[in-house]
Amino acid sequence: MPSTPPRHRQAIRVLALGLAGLAVLTALPGCGTGITRRTDTLIFAKAKDATRLDPADTVDAESTTVTENICEGLVRFADGSCRIEPALATRWDVSPDGKTWTFHLRHGVRFHDGTPFDARAVKTSFDRQRKPGPGQVFEFWASFFAPVLERVEVVDPATVRMHLKVPDATFLANLAIPSMSILSPAALAKHGLAIARHPVGTGPFRFVRWVRGERIVLERNLDYWDGPPRLRRLVFKPVPENAVRLLELEVGAVDAMDGINPDDVARVERNPELRLASAPGMNVGYLAFNVTRKPLDDVRVRRAIRLALDKPALVKAFVAGGRLGQAAINPMPPALLGYAEKLVDPAPDLAAARRLLAEAGLGGGFELPLWALPVARPYMPQGQRTAEAIQAAPQPLGIRVTIQSYEWGTYLDKLGRGDHTAALMGWIGDNGDPDNFLFTMFDADNARPGGGASNYCFYRDPAVHAWLTEARRTTVQATRARLYRQVQARLHDDVPCIPLFHARQLVAMRDEVQGFALHPT
């Protein structure tokens, strides 16, 4: 959740539907005074506040973690996997040519404002992304749906039909991405762009209030079609510092948290009042090169920087020597279809790096601005320290790295405009498909000038574009796997980025929290 967009879009789902009764010691703002024992509220601490709560316009995991509990789409991922199952649609039919999808909608569902869910609501939510207003850029739509979805047709109140321009092997999985959640048409008409502060969906929790920088409060939807949550209230609390967040967890001010310093994992495990949830992460943390900016427009310079980095040392320092993750060779996790297992990282070699820089006319080195992640992300829990390690690595080559950063929302916006030269970033897979990594991060269609890019390297290669497009059009898995291996080989040669880590997902929680699950996305 790309992390994250589309930007590192999704991090973890707070699967609050499955949470059993809790014993929480806290003073919940706005809900009384003093320390009282609550059994119906979960306070989840995260590294940063949300940027916006319009799922269609949300490009960061901090926002998506919230909106997934408020809004939902036609289909969803099953618990514990990326298998697609019904949500607001109960079933669907596909035409023999793969270009017409008919969805049969769930009866009796209402939005949180009381208005009925129907086919017109689906069309309204999709059409607002298909024809955005002035100043609006719906990044997930532009990446995944604009190239393939021609129009949405209301057949009757309980049936909606989608007409594709071309067959798309990723279409159904992409519909499960949170950006395709259905919002109340009445709320959209009432709030307009301000829907980002007043989200109204059909999900298990209703939006109550958002005090920026302090808390986002949700309450359970007693009329939820899949059964009401056991929790009465779900609160997201931003606590920027990893160490401070852990202290709040230890004293019971919050009940669960993500963004754990690797050095603190053992501390959590030793504490009998805490538990640690860990699962493989469908993610990658990487160093993005803006290949349109000098001197990074020269592949020799990018290769030289790669030769200067000691990735095993980075893994040892920042993912506990492999216990909490592994070195990333390719920009997608090994578990995905078509992973290029034969590719290997070149060993660090400063002499070879010097030769490459001399060939590029930069034997004396150069200045390189590097943006450091301002928040802890599942794929990179220590962005500033990682940047400092990268800063030191090429110093022997005369490459003088200066580190800077921005507030998270600004960081994402500036990355999408291409204002950076080099930046730390990451991506958390949305749907378990390699297209979601490779197309999102490296296709020419996603290197949009002027804003809204998810290809933060601004890498444009005609062959890569052709291979990724062909992989979308065919449903033959062996063909798709071959094409994705070709893409990874080209990326390995061209070095638009340096993949760093595939990190494990980690969430620490109070021992009394039961039923919390980490989802692969």
Side-chain angles (χ1 to χ4, degrees):
M1 168 229 130
S3 54
T4 119
R7 303 170 205 170
H8 325 325
R9 2 258 23 266
Q10 287 176 260
I12 56 170
R13 284 200 293 178
V14 178
L15 297 177
L17 282 176
L19 287 164
L22 310 179
V24 178
L25 284 173
T26 183
L28 186 62
C31 301
T33 60
I35 302 297
T36 58
R37 179 167 293 276
R38 307 185 63 88
T39 60
D40 57 3
T41 296
L42 179 81
I43 302 179
F44 188 89
K46 54 200 188 78
K48 205 72 178 176
D49 200 359
T51 57
R52 54 183 71 90
L53 297 180
D54 175 358
D57 195 27
T58 293
V59 295
D60 66 295
E62 300 294 3
S63 301
T64 302
T65 301
V66 180
T67 62
E68 277 197 302
N69 291 279
I70 303 169
C71 310
E72 56 192 346
L74 298 176
V75 296
R76 66 186 183 187
F77 299 117
D79 289 350
S81 78
C82 289
R83 178 177 57 83
I84 301 299
E85 66 179 19
L88 291 177
T90 57
R91 60 186 178 89
W92 47 90
D93 308 306
V94 188
S95 63
D97 64 2
K99 293 170 63 176
T100 304
W101 291 71
T102 303
F103 292 88
H104 305 276
L105 307 182
R106 194 173 296 278
H107 292 279
V109 177
R110 289 188 173 272
F111 291 100
H112 300 154
D113 59 6
T115 58
F117 163 76
D118 58 15
R120 180 63 59 185
V122 177
K123 180 174 173 60
T124 299
S125 281
F126 279 44
D127 282 356
R128 72 181 283 253
Q129 296 192 59
R130 190 166 63 91
K131 299 177 181 178
Q136 286 186 304
V137 178
F138 296 111
E139 295 185 21
F140 277 97
W141 181 275
S143 295
F144 301 144
F145 292 95
V148 298
L149 184 54
E150 185 172 42
R151 63 188 175 92
V152 178
E153 174 192 359
V154 174
V155 178
D156 58 49
T159 312
V160 64
R161 185 167 292 142
M162 301 187 190
H163 300 272
L164 276 57
K165 304 170 189 176
V166 291
D168 184 355
T170 69
F171 180 69
L172 189 63
N174 287 338
L175 283 178
I177 294 174
S179 65
M180 302 316 295
S181 295
I182 311 303
L183 291 170
S184 161
L188 286 169
K190 176 181 178 181
H191 296 294
L193 294 177
I195 194 74
R197 299 190 300 275
H198 305 279
V200 180
T202 59
F205 286 88
R206 305 169 185 266
F207 173 77
V208 177
R209 72 178 63 87
W210 181 5
V211 182
R212 285 192 179 271
E214 293 185 16
R215 65 192 184 277
I216 297 173
V217 181
L218 312 182
E219 287 185 343
R220 67 182 166 202
N221 174 13
L222 290 173
D223 298 321
Y224 186 50
W225 61 267
D226 204 16
R230 296 190 184 185
L231 287 173
R232 185 172 66 89
R233 188 161 283 167
L234 177 60
V235 180
F236 294 93
K237 178 180 179 180
V239 183
E241 294 296 328
N242 293 5
V244 175
R245 207 175 315 123
L246 180 54
L247 283 172
E248 293 208 12
L249 181 69
E250 289 172 330
V251 301
V254 303
D255 309 304
M257 60 166 280
D258 61 6
I260 305 164
N261 288 329
D263 293 344
D264 288 333
V265 170
R267 174 175 157 185
V268 172
E269 292 175 329
R270 288 193 302 266
N271 190 329
E273 296 182 348
L274 304 181
R275 283 189 297 110
L276 189 70
S278 175
M282 191 166 61
N283 60 53
V284 63
Y286 62 95
L287 171 61
F289 296 132
N290 186 338
V291 301
T292 68
R293 290 185 171 240
K294 292 186 178 298
L296 298 181
D297 59 338
D298 190 323
V299 68
R300 294 170 295 188
V301 175
R302 304 195 297 270
R303 290 173 179 166
I305 295 173
R306 179 172 64 181
L307 287 169
L309 292 186
D310 186 348
K311 197 178 294 182
L314 294 177
V315 170
K316 181 178 180 180
F318 301 115
V319 288
R323 180 172 172 235
L324 304 179
Q326 65 187 84
I329 309 300
N330 298 311
M332 71 181 209
L336 297 191
L337 172 75
Y339 180 81
E341 66 280 348
K342 293 183 179 179
L343 296 175
V344 296
D345 273 334
D349 190 335
L350 290 177
R354 286 191 185 94
R355 289 193 294 271
L356 286 169
L357 291 180
E359 291 174 13
L362 293 168
F366 57 92
E367 302 283 343
L368 179 63
L370 171 63
W371 291 8
L373 278 167
V375 296
R377 303 304 312 125
Y379 46 74
M380 200 175 296
Q382 299 180 89
Q384 181 68 31
R385 286 185 58 196
T386 304
E388 291 166 359
I390 292 172
Q391 179 185 43
Q395 284 180 353
L397 303 176
I399 299 176
R400 298 169 294 280
V401 177
T402 56
I403 298 174
Q404 60 190 102
S405 194
Y406 302 90
E407 185 276 329
W408 182 228
T410 303
Y411 192 92
L412 294 174
D413 290 340
K414 290 175 72 66
L415 276 177
R417 293 198 300 267
D419 293 345
H420 60 294
T421 301
L424 289 175
M425 197 51 196
W427 180 249
I428 302 168
D430 293 293
N431 60 16
D433 194 281
D435 173 89
N436 189 240
F437 282 84
L438 299 179
F439 183 86
T440 302
M441 294 167 60
F442 302 107
D443 191 79
D445 284 352
N446 292 326
R448 295 180 289 274
S454 60
N455 175 350
Y456 299 133
C457 303
F458 290 84
Y459 173 77
R460 299 174 178 88
D461 182 277
V464 166
H465 175 71
W467 294 333
L468 289 173
T469 301
E470 184 181 350
R472 279 188 158 191
R473 301 293 176 260
T474 180
T475 57
V476 180
Q477 296 296 75
T479 302
R480 298 186 78 213
R482 173 180 56 80
L483 291 166
Y484 291 133
R485 283 192 288 268
Q486 289 175 199
V487 170
Q488 290 165 85
R490 179 64 61 90
L491 296 173
H492 194 265
D493 190 54
D494 283 353
V495 202
C497 77
I498 299 178
L500 298 174
F501 315 118
H502 301 301
R504 291 183 66 84
Q505 297 186 75
L506 294 174
V507 168
M509 67 196 75
R510 303 288 303 174
D511 188 59
E512 55 266 25
V513 176
Q514 300 297 318
F516 187 97
L518 283 164
H519 194 267
T521 62

